[in-house]
Amino acid sequence: MSRLKLTVIALLVVLVTSFSILLSIGSDIYRDKPPIPEAFTDAQGQVLFSQHDIERGQLVWRSMGGHQLGSIWGHGSYVAPDWTADWLHREANAWLDISAKKTYGTDFASLSRSEQAGLEQAMREDLRHNSLVGEEHIQIPLSATRIEAIHEVQRHYDALFGDDPALTQLRDQYAMKEGTIPDAERREQLSAFLFWGAWAAITERPGTDHTYTNNWPYDPQLGNTPTSSNIVWSILSIVTLIAGIGALVWHHASGKEESLPEPAKQDPLLSLRPTPSQKAVGKYFFTAIGLFLLQILLGGITAHYSVEGQAFYGIPLSEILPYSVTRTWHTQLAVFWIATAWLGTGLYIAPALSGYEPKYQRLGVNVLWAALVVVVLGSMAGEWLGVQQYFDLDTNFLFGHQGYEYVDLGRVWQILLLAGLMIWLTLVTAAIRPALKVRNDMTPVTWVLYASCVAIGLLYGAGLFMGKHTNLAIAEYWRWWVVHLWVEGFFETFATSVIALVLVRLGLIRARSANGAVMFATAIFLTGGLIGTLHHLYFTGTTTSVIAWGAIFSALEVVPLALIGFEAVESYRMRKAAPWMQRYHWAIMFFVATAFWNLVGAGMLGFLINPPIALYFIQGLNTTATHGHAAFMGVYGMLGMGLMLVCLRGLSNQLVWNDKLLKGAFWTLNLGLAAMVFMSLLPVGLTQFFAVLENGYWFARSPEVLHSARVEFLVWMRVVGDVIFSIGGLLMGAFLLSLLRQLVTKRVTGGRPVTA
């Protein structure tokens, strides 16, 4: 049996096995999720919070921006607190003060160390004890002292999410607008949901000595410290990483690499004329860069809110564009613009592979573009209206803000986006079908490309499994199917296949070599990438088996990135393989940048936060943003730029390219991203890391740290990277405008247009 067939079989085994494990663990999460009781009560059965209160409170949380204003269980934004850790810290302090006054007649801080230690032990026993009663009609009674402490925390949150003048400064530090939730009943329901999240994080799972969230967040006073599973599987993940890298290096060293073919004397793609549908794809790339520029602008505003929470250089912008809206749009547009560039690439490549233009393909491309514009603008408008509290809670779920990071858009917009992806898949299928029937050296790669298109089209639908009242533990499970599998998994496979096909068409690599490389790379990447999704779920109300699976396979995710330097060097050499390769110089350079950021952003900075013991302390700190920016923009953004330039080269053969603009865009985008990451985000994250170890997780997310002189200085340092990066975006926009200007001139003068 040939090596290629073995690789294909291995890939199929990886897919079947990985999805079987993911679904099996999903069933465990459904079964062992933190329960939402019918009621939290006092000893006499008087209801404090009902299930209805908690579920409506979750909708209130989602309506105000959800993950985009603070975080729950460590997932979300970074300026406002993690509401789980904040609630627990405030409840613990209130419990201790109430008990100290009852027992000793003074506040807790005035007691001796031994008296304090005794009350802290009593507090841990009260809060950590699981008093769940019943299996079908669940009731959870709480102690009188705890209920009194809860009421105190409730009063704080009622004032904070309202417009109490006494907390104006705190709202400013949290980047919250005045009257975040104007309705008093909604604020009361929000407290019920936030309490439930905190209850799951401090209450021990039945039959264990750790909480539903595996003792997260770190708070020694509450008894939340790392579990043995957390430590053991972290060590084993590092061993797995070393073993995996060793095996891959061995495989690489033992392999026989074929010599590169002699490049053609002329560009093989130069003589190809774009089809009508390919010409129509041009607008996708202009749209992508427009969305990219808007994302940069919103990113600057969002970053500035972390030092001037309710204003933008003195302008009271938060009343019109609050932080939760700008951050929503910033993160959502990152997905939208990159996806638009990649979807456009798919629509361009499919007819190029088959040499076939289906009937009505151009119409379909134009209809899809219009649909994407409607979804982007409609969802952004809905999110603004939702956060501004113009919708009732049910309408907000449908048309407003769903509250889940990267799946923020309302359910109707979510369904419409899925429908758009189905249209895209239909168009790609119609165009690529003849190529799938042909048997040649590139058939396996073509099938991998098409399979990734199918996965991209279908996997976004996983987000629809999150309903209006879905338990947060289950919602997080499906959310990461979208974020990790859809964006980080199969888009990567799609890109690998497209690049290989383009390089084969250019005559720079042999088809047989491309086949083996793509199939092997896909198998290796998905081996860790699919089950590696679980590293996002260590502390989201899941059992310890998630820690085991996630730790090992997230380490395997990093393994193929260890050799990414070879890919970078090979790509860099190809830019001078033939004189005509100068036409693709900057596309190749963006592929080189992709390899670099794959190693640094996805690899090094990804593994910084992947092991359970690391993520236990730094989940939701700016270390997460460090990895997020370096991996998302560095890998997927740079790759989107490179793919776009390859397609534009085919669409603009008769136009003159301004390479100076591309050179400036390439270097400023990369240098700006590096400055942003290493001059600001990473130092802030490390500062917070020390704060966690010294005082607990709640402290690292508090104004005492985030608005300290050091952190505010580091945040201001981000301006350097932001400005450089913004220049890169503007230069890329100027490059596209130069092409558009030439096209308009050709049309006016009667020249033949080459794009649409």
Side-chain angles (χ1 to χ4, degrees), residues 608-632:
L608 172 67
I609 66 173
N610 275 6
I613 193 61
L615 199 60
Y616 179 79
F617 292 111
I618 62 180
Q619 177 162 283
L621 305 185
N622 275 269
T623 45
T624 303
T626 301
H627 163 63
H629 282 74
F632 207 90

Side-chain angles (χ1 to χ4, degrees), residues 162 258 518:
E258 295 187 41
V518 169

